Structure formats: C-alpha cells, structure tokens
Amino acid sequence: MLHLRLIVPADRTDSVVGLLEKTVGTVHLVVLPGVARNPAGDLVTCDVAREAADELLTELCALGLEEDGSIAVEEVSVSLSDRADRAEREAPGEPADAVLWDHLTEATHEESTLSVTYLAFLCLATMIAACGVVLDNAILVVGAMAVGPEFGPLAGICTAAARRAPGLAWRSTVALAVGFAAAMAVTTLFSLGMDGLGLFSDKKLEADRANTGFIWDPDPFSFVVALLAGIAGTLSLTSSKSGALVGVAISVTTVPAAANAAVALSYGDYVQMAGSVQQLALNLVGILLTGTLTLLTQKFFWTRQRSRMFRTEQSA
C-alpha cells in the first residue's frame, strides 16, 4: 500500500474526494477542511493499492494539485487493516508489477544529478577498483562495484527514453560522461601517486592477473551479462526491490573497467586501456539497451491491463 497526503484548494476538494472514492483500491480516506496553511487548503489523506496509484496520481495532477496544492506519496510498510487487504485484492494486477512513473522519474532525477557527492562516490569507487586490479584482488573489485553510483544516471537515461523526457536524458548523460571522465582522471593521478610511493608498479599491471584480467579483455559474455543486468536493475527500481540492485551493481564491469583504463593510462599501456574502454562501453550500452526495453515493455503491458479493466468497468 501507498499513503497519499494531499493539500487541496478548497474549491477542488469535492472533485478530489469524489475521485478518491471512485478509485478501486483506495481506502482510509480522511478529509480535514481548512487545516493547510502553505499552500492554503484542505488536507486529504488516504491509502491506495500500489497497482492503482499511477493512474490516480495522473488524474490528481490533471486537477491541478501539482501546481496549486501538494501531492506526497509514502510507502506503507505495515498496514493491519481488513479494508486495506480488500482494497489490494480489488485493485487490478499485482503490486510488484505496477510502475509508478512519477516516483520513478523523481527517484532517477535525484540519482542522476551531477553533484559533489555523486562525483566523490564514483571517484572513490574507481580508486578502490584501481587497487583491486593492480593487486589482482577480486574482493576489492567487487567492493568498488557496490560503491559505484553509476546505475543512477543509466536508469535516468532509460526512464527518459521511455517517458520522452529530454531534460532528464540530458542531465543523466552529463552526469554519466562527466562522472566517468573525472573519476578516470583522478584515478590516473592516484595511480601515479601510488607508483611514486612504490605501492603500484607496471610489473603488477602487466602480470598474469587470474582474478581481474577479464576487465580489459571483453568477450561476448560481457555484453550478455550487461544485457541481463539492465533488465534486473530496471525491475529492481520499478518494484522497489533495492536488494536486487546491489546484485546488479556487482555484476557489471563498469567502474573496474574505468579504473583499469586509468591505471593503464598512467603507465602508457594503451592496449589495456583500449580493452578496458571497450569493456566499459559494452557494459554501458548493454544496460541502456535492455533497461529501456524493459521499461517500454512494462509500460505497454500495464497500459493494456488498465484499458482492459476500463472496458470491464464500462460494460458492468
């Protein structure tokens, strides 16, 4: 279930309440007239089944609440209510299959914005991965994958493509390109510094690395894994399965490839650098391709289900 908190201009309260009352899957409706001060209006709250929320939010925005009032949505972790259970059963579809497009857009907007924190995490992840590739330490490489925040901009580009949002696409692309460029530049300097301290060496980089040699030597499986990761990562976002997103993060060779390219550049090994950049590109393209296709597929089937439900209600 989701909890909606609405600030409604007084002249639209009846319309909003009527919409909530007729929406299948809505329950626990509360109306507090005149309590809101900024903006002024009535406070309306309710719980709604996740699978009915996206259409409801669209209709609430059509009533002008986005401009003249407020719409806040929260996840309900526990709801001990027979009415809520009945509302979820009556709502069409399954909660895990429902996509809240406004929520997805808002989430990817935050995660795909070029910020100091985003750059810091990406640079730190790439430097950790640099230590992992030089030491041939798979644990460090996996840790770097988990720290890297690059899936946020990737998800932003996929969402922008599915929703035709050029602003989000541009912001996500800038975050991805500038982020990796900055992380690789910082890691190149980091590698030179570590070499000066005697902790890195070209011999370690050129050695036969059984655990991390694949990073700069991509094969068809690299692209296959990226394709699968794009599907899994997108589904984890749309279904709020954050645990699955961690698994996606440690299954694709993005940050490690950027790190290996940076270290190779610091030693003038352009063969490893080229292979690492190719690995990075394959993973990014694979995730973007299947991530976008997954969202478009979800959008298609969910729209068909809503249309079928509407026709059923009309014929009843």
Side-chain angles (χ1 to χ4, degrees):
M1 295 293 288
L2 299 173
H3 180 69
L4 269 59
R5 187 182 73 250
L6 313 174
I7 296 179
V8 185
D11 61 339
R12 271 167 271 183
T13 299
D14 289 342
S15 298
V16 169
V17 171
L19 173 61
L20 296 176
E21 288 179 335
K22 76 175 185 180
T23 299
V24 177
T26 303
V27 71
H28 304 150
L29 177 61
V30 177
V31 181
L32 300 174
V35 300
R37 292 293 179 266
N38 184 21
D42 303 331
L43 179 64
V44 179
T45 67
C46 69
D47 293 338
V48 59
R50 182 182 178 89
E51 53 269 42
D54 186 64
E55 184 176 2
L56 176 58
L57 291 173
T58 300
E59 295 188 45
L60 288 172
C61 289
L63 290 173
L65 295 195
E66 190 176 14
E67 295 84 10
D68 304 323
S70 171
I71 303 174
V73 183
E74 301 172 339
E75 290 277 355
V76 178
S77 57
V78 178
S79 180
L80 304 179
S81 168
D82 289 339
R83 289 177 179 269
D85 294 340
R86 186 163 57 251
E88 285 194 318
R89 289 194 298 269
E90 292 173 351
E94 294 295 328
D97 296 334
V99 180
L100 299 179
W101 291 102
D102 289 320
H103 177 270
L104 180 61
T105 301
E106 186 69 23
T108 52
H109 177 281
E110 180 179 351
E111 296 294 329
S112 62
T113 301
L114 185 63
S115 64
V116 174
T117 301
Y118 167 80
L119 287 174
F121 270 112
L122 192 53
C123 289
L124 289 170
T126 309
M127 287 188 286
I128 293 172
C131 295
V133 298
V134 171
L135 298 175
D136 194 29
N137 189 315
I139 295 176
L140 291 177
V141 171
V142 170
M145 290 174 167
V147 173
E150 74 280 5
F151 196 82
L154 290 169
I157 296 173
C158 297
T159 303
R163 301 207 71 184
R164 299 179 182 177
L168 178 59
W170 172 251
R171 183 169 51 252
S172 301
T173 302
V174 169
L176 195 66
V178 174
F180 270 111
M184 292 173 70
V186 169
T187 303
T188 300
L189 296 175
F190 173 74
S191 177
L192 293 171
M194 293 290 279
D195 181 78
L197 294 173
L199 298 175
F200 281 11
S201 69
D202 57 347
K203 291 182 179 180
K204 292 181 179 180
L205 182 69
E206 302 295 340
D208 183 17
R209 291 182 280 143
N211 295 318
T212 59
F214 71 94
I215 292 173
W216 66 273
D217 187 20
D219 56 27
F221 283 104
S222 300
F223 191 60
V224 170
V225 171
L227 293 174
L228 298 175
I231 299 173
T234 302
L235 289 176
S236 71
L237 287 177
T238 58
S239 61
S240 298
K241 302 293 184 182
S242 58
L245 189 57
V246 176
V248 171
I250 61 176
S251 66
V252 290
T253 316
T254 50
V255 165
N260 202 90
V263 176
L265 175 62
S266 70
Y267 287 113
D269 187 340
Y270 300 114
V271 174
Q272 278 207 40
M273 180 183 173
S276 301
V277 170
Q278 184 182 0
Q279 178 79 272
L280 176 61
L282 283 174
N283 279 268
L284 294 178
V285 170
I287 293 172
L288 290 173
L289 179 61
T290 52
T292 301
L293 290 176
T294 300
L295 287 177
L296 291 173
T297 302
Q298 288 180 290
K299 187 176 182 180
F300 172 75
F301 283 108
W302 191 251
T303 300
R304 285 190 61 184
Q305 181 168 316
R306 283 170 52 179
S307 299
R308 188 163 55 248
M309 186 68 183
F310 177 76
R311 289 194 297 269
T312 301
E313 291 176 352
Q314 291 293 100
S315 61

